[in-house]
Amino acid sequence: DRLREAVAEANDNVKHLTSLNRHFEVLYTGTPQLISEELSFMFSKLKIVRVMSKYLQDRTNMTGLLVKITNQMIGRCRDYLNESGDIWGQDPAAFIAKVEECLQLNHQCQVQYRTTKHERTGALKELPFIFDEDTIFAKFQHFSADLRKLAEIFKAKLQFDTLASQSIPGLDTICEDFASAIQVFRMRPYDPLHCTSSLFDRDCENMRAVVTALELDLQEFIHESFLQIESTDQALDLLGK
């Protein structure tokens, strides 16, 4: 009898988890924005299936499933960010926009989890949907923090790339110094989208210091340039650039 019960429970688990797989394909193929749009449905489905599945009625098992789901979201975000090739070869503005999609997915996932936690379905049998949020979202939070640091670097890259395209005499040295700093960052022995080392944090701090110093150099360059202006037309031309 105990063997039959174990087999029946295993078959029940397979049935319910398979039904979730069909509904959660978006986690493997969708963009972060599309996944965000499906979160309400996904969490509602999870809440319903938990009531029917003995396996998921166990809090530890359900927490483990939610961790796997958020880990898959992280993996999908990494793939999405790399879809256009190496991140350093991508258009900075486009990459920043993709990072924002990933950050929004993390935010919306937590919002929807908490909404589902407090919702009542009206079903005769309903189980609490309360789990350890730190366990579920810790990796996504860390990944998002790293993405914010990368986005900051790419925003600076966008600004200095724009300056370099203006071909303003005397500005090339500042732009070249930034390009050199980016090249050093790119050569570091890790993938910034997969890094768990403190090296990444230190390198980001170093890049922030470089950008701050170069921005001071830029302010000084602008100040000196205006001191050398002899006509209104020259001033307007510099302002236009």
Side-chain angles (χ1 to χ4, degrees):
D1 288 342
R2 296 179 67 178
L3 177 59
R4 288 178 180 176
E5 287 180 6
V7 171
E9 183 174 341
N11 290 334
D12 178 71
N13 293 337
V14 170
K15 179 180 70 175
H16 292 303
L17 292 175
T18 300
S19 73
L20 285 177
N21 282 336
R22 290 197 301 268
H23 291 289
F24 284 32
E25 287 181 2
V26 68
L27 294 173
Y28 299 87
T29 60
T31 64
Q33 180 176 345
L34 184 57
I35 296 172
S36 294
E37 293 170 358
E38 296 293 325
L39 286 173
S40 177
F41 170 79
M42 286 195 292
F43 275 100
S44 295
K45 183 68 177 177
L46 280 170
K47 193 168 188 177
I48 293 170
V49 169
R50 182 171 187 246
V51 173
M52 298 185 294
S53 169
K54 290 183 179 179
Y55 177 78
L56 293 179
Q57 286 172 13
D58 181 272
R59 289 173 56 85
T60 300
N61 293 338
M62 189 66 204
T63 300
L65 177 59
L66 291 171
V67 169
K68 289 179 180 178
I69 289 171
T70 54
N71 284 345
Q72 176 55 36
M73 289 181 184
I74 294 171
R76 184 66 193 110
C77 285
R78 285 176 175 143
D79 291 342
Y80 179 65
L81 292 169
N82 278 314
E83 277 181 357
S84 301
D86 177 66
I87 63 173
W88 300 107
Q90 297 182 35
D91 174 70
F95 181 77
I96 292 166
K98 291 197 293 186
V99 166
E100 289 300 326
E101 278 190 57
C102 296
L103 295 176
Q104 188 65 15
L105 174 58
N106 178 30
H107 172 71
Q108 290 300 329
C109 188
Q110 295 187 53
V111 168
Q112 192 56 53
Y113 164 78
R114 292 174 189 127
T115 299
T116 305
K117 178 171 67 175
H118 296 295
E119 277 181 347
R120 295 293 175 265
T121 63
L124 292 177
K125 182 179 180 182
E126 190 161 353
L127 296 175
F129 202 79
I130 303 173
F131 309 99
D132 186 345
E133 293 187 33
D134 289 338
T135 299
I136 297 168
F137 297 110
K139 287 185 180 179
F140 215 161
Q141 288 289 83
H142 185 271
F143 180 64
S144 294
D146 286 348
L147 287 186
R148 290 188 183 93
K149 293 169 186 174
L150 266 181
E152 183 180 343
I153 293 171
F154 271 78
K155 287 174 183 176
K157 187 176 186 299
L158 179 60
Q159 293 170 350
F160 281 94
D161 285 352
T162 302
L163 286 173
S165 69
Q166 299 302 310
S167 300
I168 300 175
L171 196 58
D172 52 333
T173 301
I174 295 175
C175 295
E176 288 169 3
D177 287 346
F178 177 80
S180 297
I182 284 290
Q183 187 61 28
V184 170
F185 194 97
R186 291 181 63 172
M187 297 301 292
R188 298 298 284 157
Y190 54 73
D191 181 344
L193 296 179
H194 289 80
C195 187
T196 57
S197 168
S198 60
L199 275 176
F200 175 76
D201 294 330
R202 290 201 297 270
D203 289 341
C204 286
E205 285 298 321
N206 290 337
M207 274 300 301
R208 186 178 291 116
V210 168
V211 171
T212 299
L214 291 176
E215 286 176 342
L216 291 175
D217 290 343
L218 180 60
Q219 291 174 16
E220 182 64 24
F221 172 81
I222 293 172
H223 177 70
E224 291 295 330
S225 296
F226 272 103
L227 288 179
Q228 297 173 20
I229 286 175
E230 298 178 351
S231 70
T232 302
D233 287 341
Q234 288 179 335
L236 291 175
D237 183 59
L238 183 60
L239 286 172
K241 291 179 178 179

